[in-house]
Amino acid sequence: MTTALITGATAGIGAAFARRLASDGHALVLVARQSPRLDETARRLREEFGVDVEALPADLAGEEGIAAVEARLADREAPVDLLVNNAGFGQRGGFLKVPVEDELAMLRVHVEAVLRLTSAAAVSMRERGRGGIVNVASVAAFFARGTYGASKAWVVSFSRGVAQDLAGSGVRITAVCPGFTRTEFHERAGMDVSGVGRPLWLSAQEVVDTALRDVARGRVVSIPGWQYRTLVGLGRLTPSRLAERISSRSGRKYRD
């Protein structure tokens, strides 16, 4: 039985990854901050799908949490075959309206944790000659979205670079770039997305199905949804200054 480790596994896209992979017969290591919710999620998946599920509480905004997951990925006695770096969050407010310490916490989760966990997983995967790493970025990586978009652009660029460095090793790297997805993400960030049209919304299951299909195909960048593939393509043809102005004004508002 192969094992998948998923960060941010109790809600949204992470939870959808967990259900899909459990239904496919993978053992799971679920990583999240909230122990009661994490334990309950693990219990439900064990009972429903009959797979081994390990709960690993860890806050990836702190050194202790990142180190705990690194250690689990480095365990040669219980190897991880698929790593899903999904943990992440948005901020309530634009730049200079968000405390610098909150911006730094975002960078630690979106950048430092992704780098360190990818490294920990890739070492043992390369030794075995097989494995996969999914780094959940965002379609915001291709547009101007403050610190959030910048951090996700780093995830895409990082994944592309690692994929080149590990070519031929048997280890596959895919950066997944979803657009608006129906999860708790926007509510937690205090974002009012009532103005986002229905055609722009994706389901978490759609994101996961596209991501895993693209991993199997060896694609390094996966953009779920024809509408977002179209938007990214158009964005590349739009003058950068105009695209940045449109992007910064659309898609998100913040509740008082």
Side-chain angles (χ1 to χ4, degrees):
M1 180 182 293
T2 57
T3 298
L5 186 149
I6 307 162
T7 69
T10 58
I13 293 172
F17 265 111
R19 286 190 60 82
R20 166 62 192 277
L21 292 168
S23 71
D24 289 345
H26 296 271
L28 301 177
V29 181
L30 306 183
V31 178
R33 291 181 302 167
Q34 302 176 33
S35 290
R37 188 176 187 181
L38 178 60
D39 292 339
E40 176 60 19
T41 299
R43 183 192 65 78
R44 289 200 314 268
L45 292 172
R46 287 189 204 102
E47 292 180 354
E48 184 172 354
F49 298 106
V51 296
D52 294 334
V53 184
E54 175 185 345
L56 176 56
D59 182 355
L60 298 182
E63 171 61 30
E64 184 177 349
I66 297 175
V69 184
E70 280 180 314
R72 178 61 185 84
L73 290 166
D75 186 351
R76 302 308 199 269
E77 299 300 316
V80 170
D81 304 280
L82 176 67
L83 166 64
V84 180
N85 277 315
N86 168 74
F89 59 93
Q91 301 285 20
R92 185 180 184 277
F95 191 64
L96 296 184
K97 294 184 178 180
V98 177
V100 170
E101 55 268 26
D102 292 348
E103 298 276 42
L104 290 172
M106 174 183 284
L107 290 177
R108 190 153 214 191
V109 175
H110 292 183
V111 176
E112 182 180 346
V114 169
L115 186 156
R116 290 172 58 179
L117 301 188
T118 296
S119 177
V123 169
S124 58
M125 288 178 182
R126 185 171 59 179
E127 289 174 357
R128 299 193 306 276
R130 66 183 187 280
I133 299 172
V134 175
N135 292 327
V136 178
S138 168
V139 77
F142 305 102
F143 300 97
R145 283 295 189 190
T147 303
Y148 179 83
S151 68
K152 293 303 187 179
W154 180 91
V155 172
V156 173
S157 181
F158 170 72
S159 299
R160 283 174 166 154
V162 173
Q164 288 290 329
D165 290 343
L166 294 181
S169 69
V171 183
R172 295 182 176 183
I173 312 289
T174 299
V176 182
C177 304
F180 288 105
T181 305
R182 295 195 182 279
T183 67
E184 301 172 7
F185 177 89
H186 301 98
E187 182 179 354
R188 286 182 173 181
M191 297 179 186
D192 177 7
V193 290
S194 58
V196 178
R198 183 177 297 179
L200 289 177
W201 286 101
L202 303 171
S203 70
Q205 192 60 56
E206 181 180 359
V207 171
V208 169
D209 291 345
T210 301
L212 293 177
R213 184 167 61 246
D214 285 346
V215 169
R217 292 172 175 172
R219 289 184 176 169
V220 178
V221 178
S222 172
I223 303 175
W226 64 266
Q227 60 274 60
Y228 287 106
R229 290 190 289 274
T230 301
L231 284 172
V232 170
L234 289 174
R236 289 170 176 155
L237 300 175
T238 304
S240 58
R241 188 168 297 179
L242 175 60
E244 289 166 3
R245 188 179 303 120
I246 294 171
S247 175
S248 66
R249 292 179 180 177
S250 64
R252 64 177 183 183
K253 298 178 181 178
Y254 299 99
R255 295 192 294 268
D256 293 331

